Amino acid sequence: MIRFEQVSKRYPDGTTAVDDLSFEVSEGELVTLVGPSGCGKTTTMMMVNRLIEPTAGRIFVGDEDIATLDPVRLRRRIGYVIQQVGLFPHRTVLDNTATVPALLGWKRGKARARAAELLDLVGLDPGTYGPRYPEQLSGGQRQRVGVARALAADPPVLLMDEPFGAVDPVVREQLQDEFLRMQAAVRKTVLLVTHDIEEAVRLGDRIAVYGQGRIEQFDTPGAVLGAPATPYVAGFVGADRGLKRLSVTEIEPDDLEQPPVARADEPAARAVERLRAEGARWTVVLDPDGALRGWAGVDELAAGGTVGDLVHRMTSWVPVGAPLKQAFGVMLQHDAGWVAVLDGARFLGVLTPAKLHEALRRSVDADARGVTRGQAGFDSVSDA
Ligand SMILES: Nc1ncnc2c1ncn2[C@@H]1O[C@H](COP(=O)(O)OP(=O)(O)OP(=O)(O)O)[C@@H](O)[C@H]1O
Ligand SMILES: [Mg+2]
């Protein structure tokens, strides 16, 4: 969808902002550009919508060499969230959001209806916030308006330059979550600039790690964290990359341990006998359809009745496919040695600290061998 072929940008004063850049972004993919200040991220973005012209190389958007396209028509297909948001201070939030449709000559009513829809999509009630001016918004709300404005003409391509840069870490994480949910629904092809590796890892399907004017590594978050291509990348992703990896490694069914299980409708006395024979002190309790009911202590079951009469309801669990970090968080929060993993309502097994560590190793080893996430089997940890 977006393709750079040996693109360079040299300024007349001799500064090389971007040096011989080649990469490709697939349709519907979110690629994050991450690197230190001045490494060429904004330059890269602005060459895509021809606000900056390259001095060498070619850039394609949807198979068309953009040098052959009318820049104004090109920009209609590309939403742009600029660094520092850049809302017009003298226009209301609604009119700010409707800027591009208005420029495209939409009727006023249609442009404003679209703007209201977009404000809603980014979590701002158009009735409340539409009539306000940018100075009457918080930093996070302004950034949401920036995103809404970029999406207003429904462009297939979105360029976002530090879209969540100007807010505190908590609001930032919230905006990132909202954006990921929105992206799952609208599936734009996105280039997103950040200087924060955490954000790059969290949002990107793939990450381009920039050195000075060049891409040092272009790969999945797991691979960049697990197998940094150069010492520079290793330094940039930092020593705590094992922790970051918790957020990008997903829980797979093979990671789980199978604890003792009893059915809620099983007579308690029979369950006790069976569980004691297995040496179990507690059991997971399932409904007849395999849904998680809770847990019970084996000694408690001796009180009789059915297992279901004696169950402790379980209020925390994680879905399969969730990041390991989420499971780790639940264990810490409840000071528990395990957490149940569900597929919908169905109980799949439990994750323990030991299994969590194994899963982490699996993902490190897989990435070191160049296997992408999801393809790696559980067997691969046995030789670790
Ligand atoms: N008009 C210009 N003339 C000369 N050099 C320029 C010009 N515009 C940008 N540069 C230089 O090009 C390099 C890349 O700039 P760019 O704006 O792409 O960096 P960036 O990665 O977006 O940085 P930041 O994270 O600070 O936004 C910088 O060294 C910058 O000083
Ligand atoms: Mg920049």
Side-chain angles (χ1 to χ4, degrees):
M1 187 70 179
I2 303 173
R3 192 165 80 248
F4 275 62
E5 281 183 4
Q6 301 181 299
V7 174
S8 298
K9 174 64 186 178
R10 275 178 255 290
Y11 286 103
D13 70 356
T15 308
T16 301
V18 166
D19 187 21
D20 196 28
L21 210 60
S22 298
F23 67 92
E24 192 166 349
V25 184
S26 315
E27 190 171 340
E29 188 180 29
L30 197 167
V31 168
T32 48
L33 311 182
V34 65
S37 185
C39 67
K41 305 180 298 291
T42 297
T43 305
T44 303
M45 298 268 258
M46 289 174 90
M47 289 192 293
V48 177
N49 58 14
R50 291 190 64 186
L51 290 170
I52 293 178
E53 298 288 352
T55 39
R58 298 200 295 172
I59 301 170
F60 296 82
V61 171
D63 285 337
E64 283 177 296
D65 183 341
I66 63 169
T68 67
L69 300 177
D70 170 34
V72 176
R73 285 196 31 226
L74 171 69
R75 283 173 210 148
R76 278 180 201 169
R77 288 157 48 189
I78 301 176
Y80 186 28
V81 183
I82 63 175
Q83 203 167 356
Q84 312 301 349
V85 191
L87 299 180
F88 302 112
H90 54 285
R91 284 196 204 161
T92 65
V93 164
L94 192 71
D95 285 335
N96 259 290
T97 310
T99 304
V100 181
L103 285 175
L104 294 178
W106 292 24
K107 290 238 165 57
R108 190 175 156 85
K110 187 183 165 200
R112 301 186 119 221
R114 173 67 180 160
E117 194 181 303
L118 263 309
L119 286 176
D120 205 37
L121 184 71
V122 299
L124 295 175
D125 173 43
T128 308
Y129 296 101
R132 290 199 191 173
Y133 289 88
E135 60 169 18
Q136 299 169 306
L137 301 181
S138 73
Q141 289 165 342
R142 252 175 265 161
Q143 300 215 300
R144 288 192 180 102
V145 176
V147 173
R149 185 175 61 178
L151 284 168
D154 201 16
V157 174
L158 205 52
L159 306 177
M160 309 178 81
D161 199 345
E162 309 238 5
F164 315 123
V167 290
D168 65 75
V170 175
V171 173
R172 188 174 189 155
E173 204 162 304
Q174 206 180 325
L175 290 174
Q176 290 168 348
D177 280 342
E178 284 169 14
F179 179 68
L180 282 177
R181 266 199 299 278
M182 202 172 74
Q183 167 65 359
V186 299
R187 276 279 151 221
K188 303 292 181 191
T189 303
V190 186
L191 265 185
L192 185 148
V193 163
T194 176
H195 56 251
D196 173 10
I197 182 70
E198 204 86 52
E199 178 163 276
V201 161
R202 194 134 188 266
L203 299 179
D205 296 315
R206 285 189 296 165
I207 306 178
V209 183
Y210 273 62
Q212 212 51 53
R214 308 183 63 96
I215 293 181
E216 297 266 334
Q217 188 168 11
F218 188 67
D219 214 327
T220 59
V224 169
L225 295 178
T230 64
Y232 170 85
V233 176
F236 192 75
V237 301
D240 59 341
R241 63 180 204 260
L243 276 176
K244 294 185 186 107
R245 177 171 282 280
L246 278 175
S247 13
V248 297
T249 307
E250 293 165 4
I251 301 168
E252 294 177 11
D254 282 342
D255 296 332
L256 306 179
E257 203 161 287
Q258 295 305 324
V261 165
R263 266 173 50 156
D265 58 355
E266 189 176 352
R270 204 178 75 198
V272 170
E273 201 175 319
R274 180 171 56 78
L275 290 163
R276 284 200 173 133
E278 291 172 18
R281 312 249 308 275
W282 59 275
T283 177
V284 165
V285 180
L286 303 182
D287 283 329
D289 62 0
L292 178 70
R293 174 79 74 96
W295 67 277
V298 171
D299 290 340
E300 296 168 319
L301 289 177
T306 65
V307 171
D309 297 334
L310 300 157
V311 75
H312 300 274
R313 288 272 170 186
M314 203 124 70
T315 51
S316 53
W317 44 271
V318 293
V320 67
L324 292 176
K325 188 178 172 186
Q326 191 177 334
F328 192 46
V330 169
M331 282 188 224
L332 288 178
Q333 191 187 345
H334 297 273
D335 192 18
W338 54 274
V339 55
V341 177
L342 307 188
D343 177 12
R346 197 165 57 92
F347 173 77
L348 293 182
V350 300
L351 199 65
T352 60
K355 286 292 182 186
L356 192 139
H357 182 240
E358 273 180 34
L360 214 50
R361 284 247 42 98
R362 156 177 66 76
S363 106
V364 171
D365 292 349
D367 284 328
R369 284 198 300 268
V371 184
T372 57
R373 248 188 304 162
Q375 292 175 340
F378 187 61
D379 288 345
S380 61
V381 290
S382 56
D383 55 14

